[in-house]
Amino acid sequence: MALLFAEGFDGWNSGSDMVNAERSTNDGAAFSPANTSSNWSDGCLAGGDLSAGMRFPVTRKPVGTTIRTAFWIKTFSSAGTSTFGTTSNRPFLLLSGPVYVETRYWGLFLIGTQPNACLSVRRYDDAFGPSAQAAIGSIALGDNAWHHVEVEFTSHVSAGVVRTWVDGVADINSTGIDTNDAASGDFSTMESIHLAGSSGNAGNAGVYMDDVIVWDDDGVEFKGRLTDKHRIRTIFPDANGSVNDFTPLSGANHENVDEVMRDKDTNYNAITTTGQDMFRFNTISFAPQEIYGIYAEALVRREGLLAHTGRIKATRGGITLTGPAVIVDPTYRAERLELIRDPVTGSRWTKAKLLAGLEIGYERVS
């Protein structure tokens, strides 16, 4: 597998409600609900001029020295005006260690004034200052419109690579340069992604971010560049699966996990012993052109003091895939499972395959 992080910011009620995320100092980034500022999903992440952003753990540590990321971004004036002043090298995406201030590997910035705010890529040396600036782009992003950005970054002391594409058009293309962070080296201990921050920002330059993915080149399917502009579409189960051991608070089991906006303790399924809850997808309202992979997610927590373990799982055609069995926390946490290829055919997913017997659910193991 090569996918390290994927978040569509769909279905949350607020920034503080997002599990697996840590709001940083100052205001922190905020969840912006659908039909207000989001791209085409049910929400996005918003960072104003005082926001220090929100940190998310990655699924696993990267393999190798090349990191790739793609996302949608839109600028806005957090002062409520139609324009913003100089961005003063405004950071909005940083890859870091387990703690934001501990080790930061490289980051993406906006530099310049609206509408000519362009990408700047920097490594950690000198706290992302000018001496650490790997490259500056020329395609303007400050026009209050959504733009698709894709980045390739290879860490090396002399053969480093920085490439970016904006709406599919090549922007930055720097090769054979020093992109190695003198303090931390390569990405071998990278553990988190920091989004929508603005430390040191000026000019009221805010950003919306949506559908953020991060991947490395370790793997077969999700490797190298994207073939087109991506989007993350969240789908919810609309039927019970083959096994439903959990007790629903009310109604059918699938009706407690199909919320477009997650309601946590308002509707849920619970179990006091081992067992599993599996769900199916009978209807998908859109027709994807190409599916890079599926990122299954289950929102879980435990009650009481006794620790137990659980794992997310998926089945199709008699083949079962499971995530690691982990201790269930007393507070909500999102467990995730990558399904890059269809386990039955070994090829990419299609809409027909998703509707042909795929079940996704959660198992209490102990």
Side-chain angles (χ1 to χ4, degrees):
M1 301 300 181
L3 189 62
L4 306 179
F5 176 81
E7 178 60 72
F9 305 107
D10 295 340
W12 301 106
N13 293 283
S14 66
S16 60
D17 195 42
M18 297 180 70
V19 301
N20 287 26
E22 293 182 6
R23 295 164 64 82
S24 300
T25 56
N26 298 332
D27 292 344
F31 172 76
S32 184
N35 303 320
T36 56
S37 306
S38 59
N39 190 6
W40 45 46
S41 62
D42 293 313
C44 66
L45 196 64
D49 62 323
L50 294 179
S51 166
M54 191 172 291
R55 188 185 72 86
F56 298 84
V58 297
T59 302
R60 63 170 178 81
K61 294 180 180 180
V63 176
T65 58
T66 296
I67 294 290
R68 302 176 186 274
T69 181
F71 53 89
W72 290 84
I73 187 171
K74 177 183 178 182
T75 59
F76 69 94
S77 171
S78 56
T81 59
S82 59
T83 61
F84 57 77
T86 175
T87 61
S88 186
N89 300 315
R90 184 205 197 287
F92 62 87
L93 188 153
L94 308 175
L95 296 182
S96 66
V99 181
Y100 166 65
V101 297
E102 179 187 67
T103 305
R104 292 172 285 186
Y105 299 93
W106 63 275
L108 292 176
F109 291 66
L110 288 176
I111 185 170
T113 57
Q114 190 188 40
N116 300 312
C118 303
L119 285 176
S120 170
V121 183
R122 301 186 180 192
R123 63 185 187 275
Y124 177 54
D125 297 13
D126 193 28
F128 293 112
S131 64
Q133 191 157 266
I136 300 177
S138 60
I139 298 179
L141 296 172
D143 56 358
N144 290 316
W146 282 101
H147 295 279
H148 183 268
V149 176
E150 185 178 347
V151 183
E152 173 189 348
F153 192 96
T154 299
S155 176
H156 196 274
V157 294
S158 60
V161 174
V162 176
R163 293 189 178 99
T164 67
W165 296 263
V166 177
D167 296 324
V169 178
D171 188 16
I172 296 173
N173 186 13
S174 296
T175 60
I177 57 177
D178 178 9
T179 56
N180 205 57
D181 173 15
S184 58
D186 59 21
F187 302 114
S188 59
T189 59
M190 192 199 92
E191 294 186 20
S192 60
I193 180 172
H194 200 85
L195 300 175
S198 60
S199 175
N201 179 55
N204 302 313
V207 295
Y208 295 115
M209 299 188 71
D210 207 356
D211 293 355
V212 181
I213 56 176
V214 180
W215 69 102
D216 59 24
D217 280 350
D218 174 52
V220 177
E221 189 66 48
F222 212 102
K223 181 178 181 179
R225 283 204 61 199
L226 300 177
T227 57
D228 203 350
K229 299 177 185 178
H230 81 288
R231 63 185 299 183
I232 297 176
R233 295 291 297 262
T234 301
I235 59 177
F236 305 93
D238 53 14
N240 286 348
S242 56
V243 182
N244 292 101
D245 295 327
F246 284 57
T247 300
L249 180 65
S250 63
N253 291 58
H254 75 87
E255 294 173 336
N256 291 303
V257 295
D258 65 351
E259 303 98 345
V260 174
M261 300 297 288
R262 296 167 173 86
D263 59 24
K264 292 184 175 178
D265 290 331
T266 302
N267 297 282
Y268 59 86
N269 301 315
I271 193 169
T272 58
T273 183
T274 58
Q276 57 186 309
D277 239 3
M278 303 300 293
F279 306 98
R280 296 193 58 167
F281 307 86
N282 291 327
T283 303
I284 298 178
S285 61
F286 57 94
Q289 177 179 342
E290 184 175 16
I291 300 176
Y292 292 114
I294 301 171
Y295 212 46
E297 180 178 280
L299 197 63
V300 298
R301 77 172 179 88
R302 79 166 192 264
E303 289 186 342
L305 299 177
L306 297 179
H308 58 264
T309 60
R311 61 187 181 185
I312 191 170
K313 64 188 305 183
T315 65
R316 190 173 108 81
I319 300 176
T320 299
L321 303 175
T322 61
V326 297
I327 296 176
V328 181
D329 290 337
T331 56
Y332 277 101
R333 182 177 62 193
E335 295 296 336
R336 290 167 172 160
L337 176 66
E338 301 171 22
L339 306 173
I340 304 301
R341 284 177 174 246
D342 172 25
V344 175
T345 64
S347 58
R348 284 194 172 184
W349 289 98
T350 64
K351 180 177 179 178
K353 294 176 183 177
L354 290 177
L355 299 176
L358 174 64
E359 296 187 4
I360 295 176
Y362 187 80
E363 178 184 17
R364 175 170 172 173
V365 178
S366 65

